[in-house]
Amino acid sequence: MIELKKLEVWFVTGSQHLYGEQTLQQVASHSQTIAGSLNDAAQIPVTIVFKPTVKTTEEIYSVCQEANNEKNCIGIIAWMHTFSPAKMWIGGLKILQKPLCHLHTQFNRDIPWNDIDMDFMNLNQSAHGDREFGFMVSRMRMNRKVIVGHWQDPEVLQELNAWCRAAAGWNDWQGAKFVRFGDNMRYVAVTDGDKVEAEYKFGYAVNTHGIGDLVKVINETSDESIDALIKEYEEQYILSASLKKDGGQHSSLREAAKIEVGIRTFLEAGNYKGFTDTFEDLHGMAQLPGIAAQRLMASGYGFAGEGDWKTAALVRAMKVMGSGLPGGNSFMEDYTYHFDPENQMVLGSHMLEICPSIAKGKPTCEVHPLGIGGKADPVRLVFNSAPGHALNVSMIDMGNRFRLLVNEVEAVAPLHALPKLPVARVLWKPYPDMKTGCAAWILAGGAHHTGYSQNLTATHMEDFADMAGIEFCLIGKNTNIYQFKNDLRWSDVYYQINK
């Protein structure tokens, strides 16, 4: 269970002693009001914690150090109610390890035309106090989010919502562990990468366990736990006749449940947040994990096939960011195209492992042959995905940097039934159009595996990339190939210079 409200974002207001105690009391009162309002706002998924006004170099350093050490603190919102001389911020900003959001706001929405005087001006001067702070953060070349507008403005709250969710995903990666059962799919390039650099850059560790380590745990699964899980299957899905208790393939369902219990036990014991497997390495397993991977994703774990640890970690982060929002997030793969000139679409799917959080309606639980892997017919959930706006996101190791590539898409209902396609699937139209979207994806080196989201936006992913300090590329409604190619070239130059 992912509970974002347990996480804290600290609201830190800057000022100085120049204005006197009465003004500082007003600053503190206003700051408490804003922090309380943000905390109570339905749009904000985390807990906003008011922190006393910082007025000196020492106080700023102390609150940044405290934020670094507080496990539940996932970021700081900074606001300069008055003028806060920015040299005071250098020491604190140098050590700050948590994401930073600069809220450029002021307590009053409107100018009090009939009453405004110099006392009011001295108190409410964030219009230039925030510029002083902004200069120093830019001078120090620090990534941060800048949000402009009144603190009660719904658009401001929505921007804060996205940033807080991105910070939650980033926080979840720090110290996280992901396990690969077996190695990368042989000879495949894009699913592999530099795990050492990823741990240095992203904070999560990826290590491999031989499939025998998992099989040992699977084989220790009790009949009671299998029975309990099958009862869940019967309640949550439509079981095909052959998988029911009196059906000829009920033993396959029991084997699938046994695998799910075993993998979940292994993940819980190792405190892992996600995993990968590969059909090339199933020694000792009766069938490829299908329904197991699907249901583990639905409960919050990251997953990707063929040893693709980058996508498994990405799916986990996206699930954290999207927690509590309508819709789901899943491992996905661009599988095949519909090139009708009047209605071009992509069919996304995988061999088995698409998360039911994106399903439209109640999935069916079925068993079918799998032409690769050389194992028994695996059990899987079959469904169509819901239509609507969505994202495909790819994390790519470019050698000298990581690139986060996002394509905005529009999911659509299938034109016809797919009676012979025994896998979960989704149809989408890439923005800005099929030819441009697919060409831009390929030019950017986008992987065939992605994290697919129904509830996140490009803003969430851009904020996340900023926190990670990595390249962000967007393919959206306004993308054109000429400009996109130039953006890629400029990025190459930037990352050669800014190593």
Side-chain angles (χ1 to χ4, degrees):
M1 182 68 176
I2 299 167
E3 296 183 44
L4 298 187
K5 207 63 181 176
K6 290 182 177 180
L7 304 175
E8 298 176 356
V9 168
W10 290 3
F11 190 83
V12 178
T13 304
S15 186
Q16 59 178 321
H17 285 294
L18 175 67
Y19 305 106
E21 190 58 33
Q22 184 176 356
T23 297
L24 288 175
Q25 288 176 3
Q26 289 178 287
V27 168
S29 175
H30 289 174
S31 300
Q32 283 183 296
T33 299
I34 295 174
S37 178
L38 294 179
N39 185 58
D40 294 338
Q43 297 96 321
I44 306 300
V46 301
T47 297
I48 305 296
V49 176
F50 164 78
K51 287 294 176 178
T53 309
V54 290
K55 307 168 293 296
T56 66
T57 299
E58 293 76 17
E59 289 174 354
I60 294 167
Y61 187 93
S62 178
V63 76
C64 292
Q65 188 176 55
E66 185 184 354
N68 289 341
N69 294 331
E70 175 52 54
K71 183 179 179 182
N72 288 337
C73 177
I74 64 170
I76 285 178
I77 298 172
W79 172 50
M80 307 303 114
H81 191 316
T82 63
F83 197 81
S84 178
K87 285 174 66 177
M88 297 193 306
W89 285 87
I90 294 173
L93 292 175
K94 279 176 68 176
I95 67 164
L96 183 63
Q97 297 171 353
K98 300 295 175 76
L100 175 65
C101 176
H102 183 186
L103 179 59
H104 185 40
T105 190
Q106 63 184 26
F107 185 71
N108 57 297
R109 193 194 70 173
D110 302 327
I111 293 174
W113 303 104
N114 292 328
D115 300 322
I116 188 169
D117 55 19
M118 284 310 300
D119 287 340
F120 181 93
M121 295 277 276
N122 283 332
L123 174 63
N124 299 284
Q125 53 177 302
S126 53
H128 73 288
D130 275 333
R131 282 170 166 79
E132 167 78 356
F133 178 74
F135 160 74
M136 185 50 67
V137 185
S138 294
R139 174 67 176 78
M140 296 176 69
R141 309 298 195 270
M142 290 181 63
N143 286 350
R144 82 284 200 187
K145 177 78 170 182
V146 177
I147 298 176
V148 180
H150 192 254
W151 49 278
Q152 292 176 313
D153 185 339
E155 290 185 9
V156 168
L157 293 173
Q158 197 54 47
E159 286 188 77
L160 278 171
N161 174 8
W163 180 83
C164 289
R165 289 182 175 278
W170 176 247
N171 178 75
D172 187 73
W173 268 8
Q174 307 313 302
K177 296 194 299 180
F178 295 88
V179 60
R180 292 203 302 175
F181 296 121
D183 204 346
N184 190 59
M185 183 179 173
R186 289 186 282 278
Y187 303 111
V188 177
V190 75
T191 53
D192 214 337
D194 190 336
K195 296 189 289 295
V196 174
E197 183 66 16
E199 186 163 354
Y200 169 71
K201 195 72 179 173
F202 299 136
Y204 64 74
V206 181
N207 288 295
T208 298
H209 272 270
I211 201 70
D213 294 341
L214 175 60
V215 169
K216 181 178 184 296
V217 178
I218 290 173
N219 288 340
E220 293 170 352
T221 300
S222 68
D223 287 338
E224 291 77 12
S225 59
I226 294 172
D227 292 339
L229 192 52
I230 287 178
K231 186 176 180 182
E232 276 190 44
Y233 294 170
E234 292 170 342
E235 293 171 352
Q236 296 179 14
Y237 315 117
I238 302 169
L239 264 64
S240 62
S242 66
L243 292 178
K244 293 181 179 180
K245 194 168 185 178
D246 55 353
Q249 294 175 298
H250 183 69
S251 60
S252 293
L253 187 67
R254 292 191 64 83
E255 187 62 40
K258 179 180 175 181
I259 290 170
E260 180 182 339
V261 173
I263 296 176
R264 191 180 296 272
T265 300
F266 193 103
L267 297 176
E268 289 175 352
N271 196 28
Y272 292 108
K273 292 182 176 179
F275 70 104
T276 72
D277 60 22
T278 173
F279 59 85
E280 287 184 330
D281 194 351
L282 297 175
H283 184 70
M285 296 183 68
Q287 56 181 262
L288 178 65
I291 190 173
Q294 292 177 291
R295 284 174 45 85
L296 285 161
M297 270 192 285
S299 60
Y301 287 100
F303 172 81
E306 289 95 63
D308 187 354
W309 52 272
K310 296 189 300 299
T311 303
L314 178 64
V315 169
R316 166 64 186 190
M318 293 171 70
K319 284 188 171 291
V320 172
M321 285 188 266
S323 177
L325 295 176
N329 291 273
S330 177
F331 170 55
M332 187 58 67
E333 179 173 272
D334 298 64
Y335 227 101
T336 195
Y337 291 146
H338 184 65
F339 268 138
D340 176 357
E342 302 301 318
N343 191 21
Q344 297 185 342
M345 296 179 289
V346 179
L347 175 62
S349 185
H350 203 252
M351 295 181 298
L352 304 169
E353 312 99 337
I354 302 299
C355 180
S357 67
I358 68 170
K360 180 183 180 182
K362 196 172 186 178
T364 59
C365 183
E366 306 176 17
V367 59
H368 298 277
L370 184 66
I372 54 179
K375 294 291 179 177
D377 300 343
V379 176
R380 79 290 304 270
L381 299 175
V382 178
F383 54 84
N384 290 318
S385 180
H389 189 71
L391 297 178
N392 268 312
V393 187
S394 177
M395 180 69 78
I396 316 152
D397 185 345
M398 296 298 294
N400 66 335
R401 66 192 185 276
F402 288 98
R403 170 180 287 166
L404 191 68
L405 177 63
V406 173
N407 188 191
E408 296 176 317
V409 305
E410 192 70 26
V412 296
L415 301 178
H416 305 283
L418 299 161
K420 295 184 179 181
L421 184 63
V423 290
R425 59 267 175 159
V426 54
L427 279 160
W428 67 77
K429 297 182 177 184
Y431 283 115
D433 56 70
M434 182 82 159
K435 290 186 177 182
T436 304
C438 292
W441 188 273
I442 289 171
L443 286 167
H448 55 285
H449 288 168
T450 63
Y452 177 86
S453 179
Q454 296 172 322
N455 54 26
L456 298 177
T457 67
T459 300
H460 292 94
M461 304 315 301
E462 183 179 7
D463 288 349
F464 185 78
D466 279 345
M467 292 171 191
I470 62 172
E471 181 184 10
F472 175 79
C473 295
L474 174 63
I475 306 168
K477 294 180 180 179
N478 299 319
T479 297
N480 70 77
I481 291 298
Y482 174 80
Q483 184 64 51
F484 190 78
K485 287 167 73 174
N486 277 336
D487 289 343
L488 294 177
R489 293 185 184 111
W490 296 334
S491 287
D492 277 334
V493 174
Y494 172 82
Y495 283 98
Q496 288 294 333
I497 295 171
N498 189 37
K499 291 184 178 178

